[in-house]
Each structure stands twice: as structure tokens, then as C-alpha cells.
Amino acid sequence: MGLALAQAQAAGARGEVPVGAVLLAPDGTVLAQDGNRTEAACDASAHAELLVLRAAAARLGSPRLPGCTLVVTLEPCAMCAAAAAAFRVARLVFGAYDPKGGAIEHGARIFQTQGAIHHPEIIGGVRETEAAALLQDFFKRLR
């Protein structure tokens, strides 16, 4: 989570919503890490999770990431949760809960639906206070 938080800080410094993600191989090796790039890329899908999932898949030469762990600073939205399922990550670890836009413990609850194509292990609330503070500070500065 430390690497994901560093990526979130870097994203915030670039003017992006401060969310960071890291994709770990089954042995714990970092395959990819990045932060949100939606503004810079003019791409609403350039969430940190999607960026690292795509980069890791390209690096491994596979559309599936079995045994891998996705670590992200904020509870993933429906788009990112569905992508984690499609990439077949083994586990999803997140920091801050997102009652408004999250789709793991809130909203769509992607992995709890009957039609869910994959059910990764979910670990939420890891370094939650730090992750939430990054987001709160960012949005306070905007107002």
C-alpha cells in the first residue's frame, strides 16, 4: 500500500484525483504502478487500476493475471472492479472506502452479484486513514 499511496500523492501533485494503484505478481514482485491520469490523458477510463492492470497484462503477455494482487488507495468504482474481475486478479486490496462511487462494499457491489464472472479475495481498509486524508486534502484545495 505504501507504493500505491506514493502513486496517489504523485497523481495529486499532477492535478489528478489522488488515487494510486500497484499490481503485484504472485511472488510479490511489482509488475506495474501508477496513479490516475484521466485529466492528462483526456480519458475517463485512465483510472489507476486500469492503467496498472493493462500494463501488467502487457508485461506478462497475457490478458489474465491469475495469482496477482491489485492494491489501490480507494475502493474501486464499478468500471475498475469489473476490470479486476475480467483480468482475474486473485486479490484486491484497497485503502479508503468510497460510499459514493465505490462498487465493492458500496453501490453496485460487483463481486456480490449473481452474474459475477470472478470473485477475488477482498481486503478493504488498509491504511484507510492515510488514503482518505489524501483525497480530503485534495478536494479541500479545490474548493
Side-chain angles (χ1 to χ4, degrees):
M1 184 59 76
L3 291 174
L5 286 165
Q7 288 295 329
Q9 289 171 333
R14 293 190 305 269
E16 301 280 355
V17 174
V19 176
V22 176
L23 202 293
L24 303 171
D27 68 359
T29 302
V30 174
L31 294 173
Q33 57 184 317
D34 211 337
N36 277 356
R37 294 186 181 275
T38 58
E39 300 300 326
C42 297
D43 179 356
S45 74
H47 290 195
E49 301 96 307
L50 284 173
L51 296 173
V52 300
L53 289 165
R54 290 172 182 154
R59 180 174 174 182
L60 295 176
S62 172
R64 305 285 183 268
L65 301 168
C68 292
T69 299
L70 174 61
V71 180
V72 61
T73 59
L74 180 65
E75 178 182 352
C77 68
M79 173 179 67
C80 293
F87 279 94
R88 306 295 198 275
V89 298
R91 118 192 6 84
L92 194 156
V93 178
F94 67 89
Y97 289 86
D98 186 358
K100 184 178 176 184
I104 306 297
E105 300 289 332
H106 300 89
R109 299 177 190 251
I110 294 294
F111 303 116
Q112 295 175 25
T113 64
Q114 272 190 326
I117 60 172
H118 179 68
H119 299 275
E121 175 186 0
I122 305 293
I123 302 168
V126 177
R127 296 178 71 174
E128 177 181 4
T129 303
E130 292 170 75
L134 280 173
L135 290 157
Q136 290 165 351
D137 292 346
F138 176 81
F139 286 111
K140 278 181 189 173
R141 286 192 308 266
L142 288 181
R143 294 181 182 123

